[in-house]
Amino acid sequence: KPILVPKYAVANEESHKGEDFHREEVAEACSAFAVFDGHGGKDFARAAAASDGMLSRFLAQGGTTPAQLSDTAVQDTFWEVDAAIGEELAERGLHGGAVCGVLLVDHAESYACTLAWVGDSTAIVVDMRAKAEYDSGGFLNCGRNALLDATENHSACVAEEKATVERMAAVCKQIRKGAKEAARAAAGMAAAADDGSGSDDEKVSIPGYDGKNFEAPTAEEVAAACAKLGHSASDAEVAHMTRAFAR
């Protein structure tokens, strides 16, 4: 049975900060391609683009082809790589992250593709067979016919992303408040008067509470904080916030 062989080209213009990396992995039945743009340094992006980084995890999922990967499996891989590299860097006293775009191609029987991204790493899908057009000035313009799809950046400019970050900030604040109240009760201290500012309370030393070292909350604590704030959070949203707070 013949195996389709993907053709691809790679071009990379080094940025002045040196935070851009890419990697390609071509296997017998499936291939993977990725670009990474580091933020807070280049260490995370370099590690994600290494031979044992993100793409190897996608291609080693029990022989599952990219076309069969569920959205959950793709998201889990992003989270796993984020946690593994993040912990490795933290042990070295480094902190940072990366945005990335990943293309998985199943070429065992067809060219089924899975495109996944995080952050403002933009990817576009084009039709290479689109007929070229020329504008009135004689310049080539085939974008209108060739562009099939494009990713939407995950950034604060997107209303949905902005709302998500603001909701997570409120939940985080509620969890911290709950931890402080629990520590007060355990120490036999009276509950703090809530005037909305919290400025006086910040100066009070509470036994068993360290506001600078925030332990990652459990999913139950995240769900309780959402309920306290009146947020109707789905199980998926609670799981997402729990993972994010742990990171």
Side-chain angles (χ1 to χ4, degrees):
K1 185 176 182 179
I3 298 294
L4 300 175
V5 179
K7 294 182 179 180
Y8 66 95
V10 176
N12 180 54
E13 182 177 344
E14 187 67 28
S15 66
H16 68 281
K17 293 188 292 184
E19 296 179 343
D20 298 337
F21 296 86
H22 61 86
R23 186 162 189 87
E24 308 78 41
E25 296 278 357
V26 179
E28 181 179 0
C30 55
S31 301
F33 309 87
V35 292
F36 304 91
D37 181 2
H39 56 80
K42 57 187 176 183
D43 301 280
F44 193 104
R46 178 193 286 123
S51 59
D52 58 348
M54 179 172 287
L55 295 190
S56 63
R57 293 173 183 258
F58 274 117
L59 296 179
Q61 299 201 35
T64 303
T65 59
Q68 297 171 322
L69 287 177
S70 65
D71 289 347
T72 300
V74 173
Q75 293 174 17
D76 284 346
T77 301
F78 276 125
W79 280 111
E80 290 165 6
V81 172
D82 180 74
I85 298 178
E87 291 173 5
E88 176 189 332
L89 294 183
E91 291 175 356
R92 295 159 48 195
L94 301 173
H95 300 279
V99 299
C100 71
V102 176
L103 175 65
L104 307 173
V105 183
D106 177 2
H107 47 82
E109 297 181 0
S110 65
Y111 277 130
C113 298
T114 298
L115 179 62
W117 72 99
V118 60
D120 59 353
S121 182
T122 304
I124 60 174
V125 182
V126 299
D127 182 0
M128 299 299 292
R129 300 167 299 179
K131 183 179 179 181
E133 293 182 349
Y134 293 87
D135 61 20
S136 58
F139 294 99
L140 179 63
N141 177 21
C142 57
R144 183 170 53 187
N145 291 331
L147 182 61
L148 300 178
D149 199 4
T151 59
E152 182 178 273
N153 291 341
H154 301 138
S155 72
C157 296
V158 180
E160 184 179 353
E161 293 294 325
K162 182 175 181 289
T164 297
V165 173
E166 291 176 341
R167 185 162 52 250
M168 290 178 65
V171 172
C172 182
K173 183 177 180 180
Q174 179 61 41
I175 291 172
R176 286 178 177 271
K177 181 180 178 181
K180 182 182 289 187
E181 291 174 348
R184 275 182 170 277
M189 300 172 65
D194 188 2
D195 62 359
S197 65
S199 57
D200 293 337
D201 187 47
E202 293 297 331
K203 303 174 183 178
V204 178
S205 177
I206 305 174
Y209 176 78
D210 182 0
K212 294 182 179 180
N213 295 318
F214 178 48
E215 291 188 7
T218 64
E220 291 73 19
E221 290 171 330
V222 172
C226 289
K228 187 81 172 178
L229 293 169
H231 293 329
S232 180
S234 64
D235 291 342
E237 186 178 4
V238 169
H240 177 270
M241 285 193 281
T242 303
R243 277 175 151 173
F245 292 145
R247 176 68 172 91

